[in-house]
């Protein structure tokens, strides 16, 4: 599977990078390049790496995220992970890196408020 990356401008100077697909040895450079490109164009207040649509990430992908975090930090920009898929959340937890990226809760597709049944 390939990787696609969408970049969006959010309110208050926040830029979002939203990868979709697999981040592995063949595609990890794309995440690093997306972060570097944003930092080359300016200094956003924050970069959010929305990992909701990432189905797989290996150690090279995690390494690319850490490198992106360090590059952003040197530039005075906070990089956080938002809405990690359950797989990404698990990988960040197992590697001890969840806190580095803001300790986001995993994204659950279709998760909504519990339905209240009449008479309950």
């Amino acid at each position: 599977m390939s990787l696609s990356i969408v970049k969006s401008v959010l309110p208050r100077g926040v830029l979002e990078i939203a990868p979709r697909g697999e981040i592995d040895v063949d595609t990890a450079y794309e995440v690093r390049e997306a972060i570097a490109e944003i930092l080359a164009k300016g200094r956003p207040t924050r970069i959010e790496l929305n990992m909701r649509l990432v189905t797989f990430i290996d150690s090279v992908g995690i390494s690319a995220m850490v490198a992106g975090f360090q590059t952003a930090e040197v530039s005075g920009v906070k990089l956080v992970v938002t809405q990690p898929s359950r797989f990404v959340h698990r990988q960040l937890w197992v590697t001890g890196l969840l806190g580095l990226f803001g300790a986001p809760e995993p994204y659950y597709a279709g998760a909504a408020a519990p339905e209240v049944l009449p008479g309950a």
Side-chain angles (χ1 to χ4, degrees):
M1 178 174 215
S2 64
L3 181 71
S4 63
I5 297 178
V6 174
K7 293 178 230 147
S8 308
V9 178
L10 303 178
R12 296 181 296 282
V14 174
L15 288 173
E16 180 183 69
I17 299 171
R20 178 184 191 137
E22 298 180 357
I23 303 174
D24 58 20
V25 68
D26 295 324
T27 60
Y29 74 92
E30 294 180 48
V31 174
R32 278 193 313 269
E33 286 179 358
I35 295 166
E37 181 182 317
I38 285 173
L39 293 170
K41 291 181 179 177
R43 296 291 177 263
T45 57
R46 173 172 147 137
I47 297 173
E48 293 185 358
L49 197 52
N50 185 323
M51 303 292 279
R52 180 172 60 98
L53 299 175
V54 174
T55 56
F56 176 82
I57 189 164
D58 67 6
S59 61
V60 178
I62 298 241
S63 178
M65 289 174 60
V66 171
F69 175 88
Q70 292 170 333
T71 302
E73 189 173 65
V74 165
S75 299
V77 177
K78 180 77 172 165
L79 184 143
V80 298
V81 169
T82 61
Q83 300 182 31
S85 66
R86 289 172 49 199
F87 186 85
V88 170
H89 185 271
R90 174 90 176 140
Q91 296 306 98
L92 292 176
W93 181 78
V94 165
T95 58
L97 295 171
L98 195 59
L100 181 71
F101 292 106
E105 290 296 317
Y107 173 81
Y108 291 101
E115 187 176 327
V116 177
L117 300 173

